[in-house]
Amino acid sequence: MRETPRTSRRSVLKGIGTAALGALGFGSAGSSPAEAAGEPIMMQYFHEPWSTVESDIPTIADIGYDAIWIQQPAEAILTWDDQDGRNDPPLGYQPVDLRNFNSEFGTESELQSLIDTAHSHGVEVYLDTVLNHMAAASYDTFPQFEYEHFHHDVGAIDDWSDPHQVKHGEFLGLKDLGQLSHTDGDPAYVRQQLKNYMDKMAEFGADGHRFDAAKHMYTDFFSDYANQWADDNGMFKVGEVYDGNVDYVQNYADTGMNVFDYPLFFTMHDAFEYGDMSALEGAGITGQDPWHSVPFADNHDEDGPSQYELAFAYASTIEGYPVHYNLYPSWLLDNDNINNMVWVKKNLAGGETYYRHSGNDLLVYERYNNLLVGLNNNTSSWRDEWVYTSWRDETLNDYSGNASDVTVNNDGWVKISVPPEGWVFYAPY
């Protein structure tokens, strides 16, 4: 099995050195496994104006979220009136002018107030950062770009297996910027505008970037430019590489960014549609590179599976820096089960993952010497199983409140019971 340093994943992702970890309360590389318990978790807060997001910051902080990810702060072509529902079409992804942060979500001053309030409550703010494209509009719509600054050799993408089309095509009709020398225009000018855009986010005090549509840009652009711009400003960075192939997504992680674990999500979606949960063992980027993985159970592009909260229980307790999302943010903030999962992640999760039982309807894994998780997707029956653990002669409490205490024997074995379509979170008192 992997051996992972006993440090905060968030600290590593943001480049904070081991010496600073003690002050942050996350232990150090020399800590014992139990001392290393406690990992960060973020919330995706979409579909509301900045003022509403700001009003919920105290609650977000009290629940324990370390960061929020919000939509792109730039002038865009779509308005609230263009929507037929909360996310149809999503706002913020058809930018017009990357220099103007007055948007449908609020003014620049309201964005600044949101960020300042978040920081006053110890919550970081990650901004959606759209570097791939501008709006689906005529070229004279964009005051900072000319016709020559866009790709014109593909048009609409009709072959998703063709890497050239994916990188040069107009995804959903969005005008595709030429960031590298793969265009006849002036990529250096395009890059300067994109750098200025990212720098302005940093000037507002934002803490990180979520790179939208990263799959549609070359890995070289991130390794040679965008990642460095973020690093120079001390910004967290995570890319949306919307693909189920682990190796493909890993290529972007290898540029130095973190990635949303879409390969894991698609496996989770099948497992938590009353499927085979054994497929989750070792799946996704999380299974091979958890230090760059952002697991999730739902987002604004992909609906979560039917066994929704069960999927959240998994995403919240495995390795990685998970993100919580619901179409209605209040659903997350008011949900006792979800709030408990945040608490468990922040207080009990840590250490390497050992799968103790991988069955069709029962999955049991241990975050070594910190947390024992049981998930049951059987719709009608409790599932009992004897599993091996790292503990000896230890009483474990179920911090989910779904089951009774259990005692590990002197050989390290314990019998746990997991309710139908439910979960247990066992750890010492």
Side-chain angles (χ1 to χ4, degrees):
M1 301 291 288
R2 287 184 312 276
E3 294 206 7
T4 53
R6 304 300 184 187
T7 57
S8 158
R9 178 162 292 105
R10 176 162 170 247
S11 299
V12 172
L13 297 180
K14 290 208 69 186
I16 298 174
T18 301
L21 292 173
L24 294 174
F26 288 114
S28 69
S31 300
S32 70
E35 290 173 338
E39 294 176 331
I41 186 168
M42 75 175 98
M43 175 183 175
Q44 179 183 357
Y45 197 131
F46 271 31
H47 319 304
E48 298 289 351
W50 302 146
S51 58
T52 300
V53 180
E54 181 176 359
S55 69
D56 276 334
I57 291 294
T59 301
I60 291 167
D62 287 345
I63 290 169
Y65 288 108
D66 293 88
I68 55 170
W69 152 33
I70 61 176
Q71 281 155 287
Q72 179 192 216
E75 179 186 352
I77 201 168
L78 295 179
T79 71
W80 297 106
D81 291 338
D82 292 311
Q83 288 197 309
D84 183 17
R86 289 176 63 80
N87 192 43
D88 184 21
L91 297 182
Y93 295 101
Q94 296 212 35
V96 170
D97 189 345
L98 301 179
R99 302 167 300 185
N100 177 14
F101 282 12
N102 292 315
S103 71
E104 284 297 289
F105 304 106
T107 64
E108 291 193 353
S109 63
E110 288 173 320
L111 175 63
Q112 186 68 71
S113 180
L114 186 165
I115 293 172
D116 291 345
T117 298
H119 288 170
S120 72
H121 286 81
V123 176
E124 295 192 338
V125 180
Y126 306 152
L127 301 180
D128 226 318
T129 305
V130 181
L131 304 175
N132 173 67
H133 58 262
M134 300 298 284
S138 61
Y139 292 102
D140 59 8
T141 304
F142 316 118
Q144 68 190 121
F145 295 112
E146 304 290 343
Y147 180 88
E148 67 182 12
H149 298 132
F150 297 87
H151 291 134
H152 305 288
D153 54 328
V154 171
I157 303 171
D158 56 27
D159 183 358
W160 290 89
S161 66
D162 182 345
H164 181 79
Q165 286 200 28
V166 171
K167 300 295 190 289
H168 286 234
E170 294 182 353
F171 173 58
L172 300 177
L174 301 165
K175 296 296 187 288
D176 196 71
L177 287 165
Q179 300 89 358
L180 298 177
S181 58
H182 308 284
T183 176
D184 295 330
D186 185 356
Y189 174 84
V190 173
R191 291 196 298 271
Q192 186 61 54
Q193 296 303 306
L194 298 179
K195 181 180 184 300
N196 293 345
Y197 167 51
M198 290 175 59
D199 286 346
K200 182 169 181 174
M201 292 180 174
E203 290 168 5
F204 272 76
D207 303 283
H209 301 286
R210 179 264 189 182
F211 294 133
D212 176 65
K215 175 180 178 175
H216 297 276
M217 293 172 279
Y218 288 93
T219 54
D220 290 355
F221 171 63
F222 292 103
S223 59
D224 296 346
Y225 298 104
N227 288 345
Q228 186 60 55
W229 300 337
D231 291 344
D232 289 345
N233 290 321
M235 303 280 274
F236 171 86
K237 51 196 182 298
V238 57
E240 179 208 22
V241 187
Y242 199 141
D243 198 282
N245 184 285
V246 174
D247 292 337
Y248 188 96
V249 178
Q250 185 69 53
N251 285 337
Y252 282 84
D254 290 344
T255 69
M257 71 167 70
N258 311 293
V259 290
F260 292 101
D261 199 342
Y262 272 95
L264 177 63
F265 171 78
F266 293 127
T267 303
M268 286 173 56
H269 203 283
D270 290 342
F272 296 114
E273 287 285 349
Y274 315 100
D276 182 0
M277 288 204 297
S278 68
L280 293 168
E281 181 172 355
I285 299 297
T286 304
Q288 65 186 33
D289 185 10
W291 292 89
H292 292 100
S293 173
V294 176
F296 61 97
D298 188 10
N299 71 18
H300 63 291
D301 289 320
E302 288 282 348
D303 292 337
S306 298
Q307 295 177 300
Y308 193 62
E309 290 190 2
L310 195 59
F312 271 83
Y314 180 71
S316 302
T317 53
I318 56 174
E319 294 178 74
Y321 184 6
V323 56
H324 282 177
Y325 165 86
N326 186 270
L327 185 63
Y328 295 90
S330 60
W331 183 89
L332 291 174
L333 301 179
D334 297 338
N335 187 306
D336 291 340
N337 286 335
I338 299 299
N339 293 347
N340 173 254
M341 293 171 195
V342 175
W343 185 90
V344 168
K345 180 67 169 178
K346 292 295 297 295
N347 292 277
L348 303 178
E352 190 173 350
T353 301
Y354 288 81
Y355 284 85
R356 300 306 193 182
H357 178 85
S358 295
N360 183 75
D361 61 358
L362 180 67
L363 190 71
V364 183
Y365 51 93
E366 180 185 341
R367 301 296 307 280
Y368 190 77
N369 205 223
N370 285 306
L371 176 67
L372 185 68
V373 177
L375 309 173
N376 176 12
N377 75 351
N378 188 297
T379 60
S380 59
S381 300
W382 283 72
R383 287 284 278 106
D384 299 334
E385 190 69 38
W386 281 94
V387 295
Y388 183 75
T389 75
S390 64
W391 294 284
R392 299 292 182 274
D393 296 316
E394 183 88 60
T395 297
L396 303 180
N397 177 56
D398 172 33
Y399 286 88
S400 75
N402 293 329
S404 302
D405 286 3
V406 294
T407 300
V408 184
N409 66 26
N410 59 9
D411 293 321
W413 288 85
V414 64
K415 183 180 181 181
I416 66 170
S417 297
V418 189
E421 292 193 90
W423 55 89
V424 291
F425 301 141
Y426 277 111
Y429 277 95

